[in-house]
Amino acid sequence: MTPGILAIIVLVLTVAGYFLGRQRALALAKREGVRLHSLPSHYGQAVALFTAVPALLLMGAWLFLQPLLLENQVSSQIPDSVIPEGGARSLVMADVRRIADGMDRLVGSGGLNEDDLSSMRADFSNIRGRLAEVGVALGSDVEPAVFEAAKSYRSIAGTSTLLRNIAVIAVALGFGFLAWRQVRPAMRARNVSETFIRSLLIGSSLVAILTTFGIVTSLLFETIHFFRLYPASEFFFSTVWNPQFRGGSDLGVLPLLWGTFYVSFVALLLAVPIGLMIAIYLAEYSGKALRSFAKPAIEILAGIPTIVYGLFALITVGPFLRDWIAQPLGLGSSSSSVLTAGLVMGIMLIPFVSSLSDDVINAVPQAMRDGSYGLGATQSETIRKVIMPAALPGIVGAILLAASRAIGETMIVVMGAGAAARLGLNPLEAMTTVTVKIVSQLTGDTEFASPETLVAFALGLTLFVFTLGLNILALYIVRKYREQYE
Amino acid sequence: MNMLTDAAVEEKLQSASKPGVSKMVGKDVTVHYGEKQALFGVNLEVPEKQVMALIGPSGCGKSTFLRCLNRMNDTIDICRVGGSIMLDGEDIYDPRIDVVELRARVGMVFQKPNPFPKSIYENIAYGPRIHGLASKKSEFDEVVETSLQKAGLFNEVKDRLHEPGTGLSGGQQQRLCIARAIAVSPEVILMDEPCSALDPIATAKVEELIDELRENYTIVIVTHSMQQAARVSQRTAMFHLGNLVEEGPTDKMFTNPDDKRTQDYITGRFG
Amino acid sequence: MNMLTDAAVEEKLQSASKPGVSKMVGKDVTVHYGEKQALFGVNLEVPEKQVMALIGPSGCGKSTFLRCLNRMNDTIDICRVGGSIMLDGEDIYDPRIDVVELRARVGMVFQKPNPFPKSIYENIAYGPRIHGLASKKSEFDEVVETSLQKAGLFNEVKDRLHEPGTGLSGGQQQRLCIARAIAVSPEVILMDEPCSALDPIATAKVEELIDELRENYTIVIVTHSMQQAARVSQRTAMFHLGNLVEEGPTDKMFTNPDDKRTQDYITGRFG
Amino acid sequence: RDQIQIAGSSTVLPYASIVAEAFGENTEFPTPVVESGGSGAGRKKLCEGVGENTIDIANSSSRIKQSDIDLCAQNGVKEIQEVRIGYDGIVFASDINGPEYAFTPADWHNALAAKVVKDGQLVANPYKKWNEIRADLPDQEILAFIPGTKHGTREVFDEKVIVDGCEENGTLEALKAANAGDEKAAEKECMALRTDGVSIDIDGDYTETLARVDANKNGIGVFGLSFYQNNTDKLRVGTMGGIVPSVETIASGEYPVSRPLYFYVKNAHLDVIPGLQEYIEFFVSDEIAGPDGPLAAYGLVSDPELAKTQEKVKNRVPMGALN
Amino acid sequence: MTDLTAMPAVVDSQSRSLFKRGERTRRRHAAEKRFRMIGLAAVIFGILALFGLLGSILNNGASSFRQTYITLDIHLDPAKLDKTGDRDPEALRKLTTFSYQPLIKMALDALVEGKGVSVEGLTSKDLEGMISKEAPAELRRFVLAHPSRIGETVTFAFLADGRIDGYYKGRVTMATAELDRNVTPEQLRLADKLKDAGVLATRFNWSFLTAPDASDTRPEAAGLGVAILGSAYMMLIVLVLSLPIGVAASIYLEEFAPRNRLTDVIEVNIANLAAVPSIVFGILGLAVFINYAGLPQSAPIVGGLVLTLMTLPTIIIATRAALKAVPPSIREAALGVGASKMQAIFHHVLPLAAPGILTGTIIGLAQALGETAPLLLIGMVAFVREFPAAPPGGFFDPASALPVQVYNWTQRGDPAFIERASGAIIVLLVFLIIMNLGAIFLRRRFERRW
Ligand SMILES: Nc1ncnc2c1ncn2[C@@H]1O[C@H](COP(=O)(O)OP(=O)(O)OP(=O)(O)O)[C@@H](O)[C@H]1O
Ligand SMILES: Nc1ncnc2c1ncn2[C@@H]1O[C@H](COP(=O)(O)OP(=O)(O)OP(=O)(O)O)[C@@H](O)[C@H]1O
Ligand SMILES: [Mg+2]
Ligand SMILES: [Mg+2]
Ligand SMILES: O=P([O-])([O-])[O-]
């Protein structure tokens, strides 16, 4: 029985539990002539949950632990002699698994029966060939010891799987039955299932924490490594970014942070006003037809791969800005510039601002609008003075999301703003950002253990801390503002 | 509770019998909400500088008619208005007219209080600000204070002018909305049950305000309280099932109505 | 308008003087909204199967107290409640109690009508559905119809049960909310100005309903209309500036109050 | 796992995918998966450990580094085979409609270095046009798109063009003098490029360089030979020291700017991952990597010592210490 | 009254008509009009930007759905294919594609001769170069599948070489062919003649959607099959995980979580995760899912998980904004009839917040669908030719993804890949639209004002 089928059995039991629990609640209530504390379906849910959750947890644990234990068991049977020089036990174990799997398939395809198998010996029969027939390719011929290990792997695995199946079904039945017995009209079934759902909700919100934890740990280790190789003071305070191959690089983060900030700023300067105006127009002014077309259409902008924007910046916008603005104004002759990347990125960010804001603007109750119109306000006054403040929390969220995306964007910057790290004010000059350098240092040619590559992790962590600071600041400002205006 | 002193009756009779210019005139006003017809050809004249009360059972179309008078129904998608309504002889449903100006001249207090999610101060200062009625801080302070005074709310909220208007009690919100409407001093004020959430004292205060406003403004008020209609209005219109049943001087309506339904309604025998 | 017939007075006196078990008891109830204190140690007993009226000027804390009785204030972030409130001898602010069960037993009609943005039918069927009071379509139909009947709304909306509840007139919405509350037949019904948007006939209908409900349910009603309080309630509590001024049998309150403020308030001399 | 997993250099990727495709077509084994992600990252992945969820082969456009070998050893990856598959030529090309360029390394140093010797003086780079450097170069503004510092190509460019040019045009001497004879420091300063927007780093790939040359007609880009060969209708290649880059001139060593390409095989996986041994033998076979094979046709300069490599691969000879 | 009347009346009714606007009103109307125009301009800008991008993509990529084929009659010569004559599959399998090349060459020679379309200066290598390098592989596959047909003459429609194909799409001209070392003008001339002879034709190219990627030497054979499957698998995982987890997390944070430090931490955290560059999610995926959990390289399951983590902040932020926007009176109404908080949320608040949630999903998924950087580190930016199996097993097989294919193709030397990259973008966008159609439709149904 595969885990999939087992899961299906548990699910079937769960569904059965649901109906049995529900029915028992109804029957008892009828017999005792009392009212149910909760809805009948809540009793069903409670029984179903008790049937499913412990069983599935057990199954998960088993699936996780079985290979580990099995591996331990079997790998002790493999003599060191069959492990190739420089190879690893784990690879031999992979072979063992593959052979065992192949034997299952052989039996399954009717090519062999169990007796044949147990009498089969690696030194006499061409096991590699037979397994190849059923589509299991092996790297080399099979050592007898490995074959024996595979056989015992197979038998232990078989027993263990059988045990697992029995245990899981027993747990499902047992807990389900206990829960079913518990069903009485006075049982607070709704609370049971709601507590459960609530813990699911809490669990879900912890995913974010876990992700952060994962990110920090996966960056921290190599960052520490980096700072052992490269002085932190230089990294944080040097204004030069100039990595070299054979050491002696200058890896100052400041020009990158500046570039990140500058490009994002330009992008938001375009995306926020335009996005907001689109949201306002679609929510307040436009007809249904335009709205139902324009909103999803503009959302496509968020789905165009960033590389397309990058090419657009590189081929169209960059040369255009150079020929029509930078050169006539004497501001430089670079076709990649902060402005190029910023503008193109701004276009990509428009839907982040427009669509989310549109939804919150749309959710402002009509009574607010009526109140304002009733005072003789024009529509735009109503929007600016009444609707926007009411929708502000959501709009701030949308803008923060857009800002976040701007900071994290790579491809557009590579192609639009260039790869040269520079501290400067001229928006028509090439600059680059932290993310660009994370990608390029990480995917480059330099050796991994060199500061030139490891700096990517330090950059990632720095950016993380930097945006964390910005977010805390934003939260603080939003709170402050809300206090003021409420 | 005795409502009308003789003197008051006298005065009312006089003002109601004054020929009085019609400030607003509705001709054959019909309203549909989608399929459903809510008003069936209402003809009604609102005399200038008087108070007109609209009465009638719940759901008969009072609010609907009131909302027609400053085209507030425009905001309801499914609502269609027929017939014509004149303000000072100009058709307010003429496509060329300026709805904003119309609403500035015909203000409204809604049935459900709807304060803006802003501070109490800003709720009131909003109107004067958009109409440019005040510019200096001190002017705004003054408008806010006098408007709140008139609505009888100032004392209760004077310490919390900068707290949100949505944190007020039901009755306070209602008075806030009244204050907000009078702060822009429109020519006509439409009030949809302005006292429904108010205690008798606050009600008296608002009624006093209405009486005062009548000097300069035209007022249309929807009310469910016969006593209130009798106390504050010079003329009364009675609606029933989307029809205007009858309209006339208030005292006549309450003493000697032409229509049986009016009679029944005001004596509480309806139904 | 004469409000009480002698017979009615008789009956009221009797029922009010019955010792009567207390259904709900508030002890030293204090409420803060953030910094601002809205209730100052209110002690009030709500007798079982009677109607208690809460009166007092706007903003005095009536709604606040009412919302304490089914912990509706929990939903306001900045609101803190002190003291204790008992329902059938159990402290409803005990952390172990189930708020949902409490609210199922203590239903509420809010001051501002707040229908769900769903059909009229669904508005009413919702409560019975989540409480499992009906399961078949026919049962739901019946609950919906009787509830609407009782709230006096059925005739007006019977053809549009599946249109949105938000498209009703103000008074209709209010009655819809009453119908919604009684559809789940709670033990205690809290009504915050249930008739504020209703015409006299609809008001009479609701008052009749309240009288009827009193047989089986305990009712607390906030009202600004002294007449209404006098008509429907057996006991009356008078609030002022967050304090309970006085509480007692309704007729005593209206004829011979102990407190000067009550006297002033009911005679309209307040302020 | 049934498929061979390969990761690493984007320079080697086209060749590796040609071989993988042919391997899949001609054998019973599934087509290997070839990732691109950079040589450094590929070698790091190779050294992550032994086991099914680690890769089998790392492609690399430069030789493995000692630190990589150490990392490998630390993670139990003891035996690694080094397979040199051929050479990658690096060419300088400009827009097809522009003038012809005949460069020397010295020209490039003069054009791009931060400091150059002019009239015997060490000065900040004053040149704006090519013909200011050398009169027989075209009258064109200097604008170069060179590989960013992430690319292995940059290392070759720095070493074989800039540093050599530095020496050629005498700047190295001057710098050495300025640095009190410190050769290392002088070399480092040689490689410092001007930052006034004349030399532009490209972190992307050759297509980006091509697009930039397309948008800036006077620009000169640095390309791989195979890329150039695919775009001869758009690009005009410059000569270096009078030699036209081609598979032949590079193989013969006449054209100076080239580098070897490698892949590294984890020996521990050899008998375990089906088809791995077959794949590497297939790769270095004459049919594939020889001068007439598809790789050479695509622009890989085939290794004159291919036979040696074939021998080593057959015997699974692990690489020794780096020299 | 004095103070009220003292205020300047807004409109002096006697002197002012509704038809005439005062100075101030005029200004306000002008402002109104400006505002409205700015809004319209913004919408137009957005749509123009979209159309501009779409136009250039379509312009470059539409042609990739058509491909040029050359019809050849191949004589499956037993002398070359099966010297022993026993059709032994083992022996047949040993024969590599290199051995099939001569068959094609012979057929080409025969064709040129038979049709009498020889072109001066055309070498035999040029002639061979007109057919895709995919052809021998196709032939070999055919022979292995039908060993019995050795000895017969079979008609094949082979792909023409990318440059020949480019000639019919305007990418290659006689002038560029002069300069191009991969194609000669003679080849083009011959192609024209073959076309006249009806042997060469350009037609719709299904295999662009079904075939796997091909190496740099055969752009004409490259397809999106594996990438489409890979993207579909990943999006399935992303949708199934990120929507429920995102909505659940938002509900908890917005409706249940006590306002305290921990909630603030989570809130800032989520906002901050949105700003984490996507490549860092790749680093995370490599460290956690591959190195720690031991999941395979290049697998959609890992890609899906990484993209899920990346999409979550977007969905959470959008959902929370939507939940915030639902007025409290709705919650109170539900609680007032005895609904539990959970019921109030699931029955009333969520449906009203649905448009915002769906927007978040649409944007989040769009972003996830187009993302390459994180896939770089978990090995999905790769050359993959084997199709992954059906789910759930296929989630663990190596696969590619649409944006990866775009990214790969834009990096290749042969310009024919540029066209295919644009074609891949079209497919990606169509994929995006199909994926979002349901959400867009649902969102429109849930949208309502109250
Ligand atoms: N959410 C809130 N935030 C802050 N203050 C509040 C809030 N709700 C009520 N208050 C204040 O608490 C006091 C009591 O309010 P409550 O709503 O109980 O009054 P009420 O007696 O019901 O008045 P009304 O008859 O006008 O409805 C008022 O001063 C009011 O402004
Ligand atoms: N937005 C709407 N959509 C559909 N029908 C509506 C809408 N608003 C009102 N109606 C219907 O129109 C009729 C008249 O409503 P209106 O609000 O004018 O009544 P009213 O006289 O103000 O009643 P009340 O005293 O209860 O406020 C009612 O039957 C009502 O249900
Ligand atoms: Mg109304
Ligand atoms: Mg109240
Ligand atoms: O990808 P590369 O390591 O060859 O630059």
Side-chain angles (χ1 to χ4, degrees), chain B residues 23 88 90 92 94 96-98 100-102 105 129-133 146 150 182 184 187 212-213 216, chain E residues 1-5 7-14 16-22 24-26 28-29:
Chain B
K23 183 74 178 172
D88 291 335
E90 293 175 332
I92 64 170
D94 188 305
R96 286 165 307 165
I97 77 117
D98 182 1
V100 170
E101 201 136 329
L102 168 68
R105 287 169 59 183
R129 181 165 293 135
I130 57 174
H131 292 300
L133 301 184
T146 47
K150 304 241 160 245
I182 59 174
V184 297
E187 294 165 33
E212 216 175 279
L213 289 173
N216 298 296
Chain E
M1 199 58 247
T2 43
D3 28 357
L4 261 184
T5 36
M7 277 188 246
V10 184
V11 197
D12 182 354
S13 62
Q14 261 58 43
R16 193 80 56 74
S17 144
L18 283 174
F19 292 94
K20 278 185 258 144
R21 290 172 179 178
R24 188 181 160 77
T25 324
R26 240 200 303 275
R28 286 171 61 206
H29 275 288

Side-chain angles (χ1 to χ4, degrees), chain D residues 15-320:
Chain D
Y15 307 117
S17 52
I18 291 171
V19 179
E21 185 177 54
F23 182 70
E25 271 164 15
N26 285 311
T27 64
E28 291 309 294
F29 300 104
T31 309
V33 173
V34 193
E35 290 171 33
S36 69
S39 308
R43 296 193 302 257
K44 155 98 196 304
K45 276 189 162 180
L46 186 79
C47 293
E48 214 104 75
V50 227
E52 276 194 302
N53 67 333
T54 61
I55 61 167
D56 311 311
I57 296 179
N59 294 329
S60 179
S61 56
S62 56
R63 257 200 117 182
I64 196 166
K65 304 286 177 340
Q66 187 57 45
S67 63
D68 293 322
I69 296 176
D70 295 344
L71 181 68
C72 269
Q74 187 187 323
N75 289 332
V77 183
K78 301 223 172 59
E79 290 190 349
I80 305 170
Q81 271 183 70
E82 179 176 65
V83 181
R84 190 173 60 213
I85 59 170
Y87 292 85
D88 177 31
I90 293 163
V91 307
F92 303 85
S94 52
D95 190 77
I96 186 83
N97 297 316
E100 301 221 19
Y101 290 86
F103 299 114
T104 63
D107 296 336
W108 275 100
H109 184 263
N110 274 331
L112 299 188
K115 281 188 188 148
V116 294
V117 172
K118 194 179 184 196
D119 307 327
Q121 291 292 314
L122 200 57
V123 293
N125 199 326
Y127 301 118
K128 289 269 175 256
K129 292 189 160 186
W130 285 104
N131 62 354
E132 292 168 10
I133 297 173
R134 197 149 55 80
D136 43 358
L137 281 169
D139 175 19
Q140 279 272 14
E141 271 178 40
I142 303 173
L143 180 61
F145 301 105
I146 62 172
T149 47
K150 66 169 274 200
H151 289 290
T153 327
R154 174 65 174 270
E155 189 181 16
V156 182
F157 176 77
D158 279 350
E159 263 174 27
K160 301 215 167 146
V161 180
I162 296 297
V163 175
D164 282 5
C166 188
E167 202 174 337
E168 251 175 62
N169 65 17
T171 311
L172 185 66
E173 276 307 312
L175 282 171
K176 229 194 292 192
N179 276 299
D182 185 345
E183 173 114 35
K184 266 244 161 70
E187 217 171 82
K188 195 181 164 199
E189 263 190 70
C190 265
M191 287 191 290
L193 301 186
R194 58 204 287 190
T195 53
D196 53 0
V198 164
S199 147
I200 294 172
D201 280 14
I202 304 294
D203 263 3
D205 42 79
Y206 296 136
T207 39
E208 190 192 333
T209 314
L210 176 62
R212 290 204 188 251
V213 170
D214 214 34
N216 304 273
K217 299 291 184 198
N218 56 338
I220 296 176
V222 176
F223 297 95
L225 178 68
S226 65
F227 188 89
Y228 160 69
Q229 288 190 348
N230 265 304
N231 292 281
T232 47
D233 55 334
K234 298 188 194 69
L235 293 172
R236 182 188 293 282
V237 75
T239 59
M240 182 61 72
I243 308 290
V244 182
S246 72
V247 172
E248 293 77 26
T249 53
I250 293 167
S252 67
E254 280 172 87
Y255 184 82
V257 197
S258 75
R259 60 170 167 172
L261 301 177
Y262 302 88
F263 66 74
Y264 293 88
V265 186
K266 202 182 281 177
N267 265 3
H269 284 195
L270 273 182
D271 283 330
V272 192
I273 302 299
L276 185 53
Q277 177 69 25
E278 289 84 344
Y279 171 76
I280 54 180
E281 284 181 22
F282 185 75
F283 201 128
V284 297
S285 66
D286 287 331
E287 266 174 327
I288 297 290
D292 302 319
L295 296 186
Y298 192 69
L300 181 73
V301 178
S302 82
D303 188 353
E305 301 177 11
L306 194 61
K308 248 194 207 165
T309 311
Q310 289 167 352
E311 190 63 23
K312 275 205 295 196
V313 161
K314 196 163 222 104
N315 298 327
R316 306 180 173 188
V317 182
M319 69 183 291

Side-chain angles (χ1 to χ4, degrees), chain A residues 270-428:
Chain A
L270 179 83
V272 171
I274 292 188
L276 274 183
M277 287 313 294
I278 291 180
I280 287 170
Y281 192 84
L282 292 184
E284 299 292 324
Y285 287 110
S286 83
K288 267 215 164 75
L290 174 61
R291 179 188 162 78
S292 60
F293 161 75
K295 195 175 175 188
I298 288 171
E299 277 160 357
I300 292 181
L301 285 176
I304 295 178
T306 50
I307 187 162
V308 178
Y309 286 103
L311 287 171
F312 180 58
L314 179 66
I315 292 167
T316 314
V317 180
F320 177 83
L321 288 180
R322 181 197 56 195
D323 295 343
W324 292 94
I325 298 185
Q327 280 177 342
L329 294 181
L331 286 172
S333 59
S334 168
S335 70
S336 43
S337 64
V338 169
L339 200 59
T340 308
L343 291 182
V344 174
M345 194 194 287
I347 293 177
M348 181 196 77
L349 294 178
I350 286 174
F352 285 81
V353 181
S354 72
S355 275
L356 294 180
S357 305
D358 173 90
D359 286 323
V360 277
I361 289 176
N362 213 35
V364 173
Q366 182 63 30
M368 293 299 110
R369 296 181 180 85
D370 285 355
S372 176
Y373 295 147
L375 289 170
T378 62
Q379 208 168 347
S380 62
E381 286 160 350
T382 306
I383 292 165
R384 279 181 286 139
K385 307 249 173 68
V386 177
I387 298 179
M388 295 308 267
L392 199 75
I395 292 175
V396 169
I399 293 175
L400 282 180
L401 186 64
S404 302
R405 285 284 296 154
I407 290 173
E409 179 47 47
T410 316
M411 231 45 213
I412 297 177
V413 185
V414 176
M415 299 193 158
R422 184 173 304 155
L423 263 172
L425 279 174
N426 182 354
L428 291 159

Side-chain angles (χ1 to χ4, degrees), chain B residues 68-90:
Chain B
C68 288
L69 295 180
N70 70 345
R71 293 187 53 178
M72 216 55 221
N73 276 332
D74 290 11
T75 62
I76 300 176
D77 270 354
I78 54 167
C79 181
R80 277 172 301 119
V81 179
S84 75
I85 296 174
M86 304 283 180
L87 172 66
D88 291 335
E90 293 175 332

Side-chain angles (χ1 to χ4, degrees), chain A residues 35 37 39 188 190-191, chain C residues 98 100-101 129-130 132:
Chain A
R35 259 193 57 192
H37 168 274
L39 285 184
R188 293 179 161 193
R190 200 198 62 246
N191 305 42
Chain C
D98 183 355
V100 175
E101 202 146 322
R129 178 166 296 132
I130 57 171

